[in-house]
Amino acid sequence: MANTRLTRLAFKKRFPASKWKAARAASATNIDLADFFEDFDLATYIDIARQDVIDPVNALMLAAWPVEIRLTQEESDAVLLEPVQPIEEFHG
């Protein structure tokens, strides 16, 4: 079975930098984004096969999000579906 555990940095780097920054800034006033980033901040690693990771990433594709935050299908796929590279692997 393929490894699905990423370091937190590797997970972050899979997002477009400008969208990650915009979402992080918006988390100050948006409870859903605040919860997403709280989970990220508290995690030891990010398992991209877990439903509680998949759902919020996919939710960032919803039209309700400002374009500065909203992920495209391709961007979401890059976060969740790209194989974990050796440099991205969490070893713990």
Side-chain angles (χ1 to χ4, degrees), residues 10-87:
F11 180 74
K12 177 185 174 192
K13 295 295 185 184
R14 285 179 168 220
F15 285 81
S18 62
K19 292 183 180 185
W20 181 273
K21 291 174 187 175
R24 180 67 103 163
S27 72
T29 58
N30 181 291
I31 192 69
D32 293 322
L33 289 173
D35 188 52
F36 174 81
F37 285 106
E38 180 181 28
D39 286 352
F40 173 80
D41 292 339
L42 293 171
T44 303
Y45 61 87
I46 309 296
D47 188 337
I48 56 174
R50 285 179 55 136
Q51 203 62 47
D52 60 352
V53 172
I54 295 168
D55 290 345
V57 172
N58 283 333
L60 289 172
M61 292 189 300
L62 296 174
W65 292 111
V67 68
E68 301 84 29
I69 295 171
R70 187 172 52 241
L71 296 178
T72 65
Q73 182 68 57
E74 294 79 19
E75 291 165 339
S76 177
D77 289 350
V79 172
L80 297 172
L81 301 179
E82 289 293 320
V84 176
Q85 301 302 308
I87 196 168

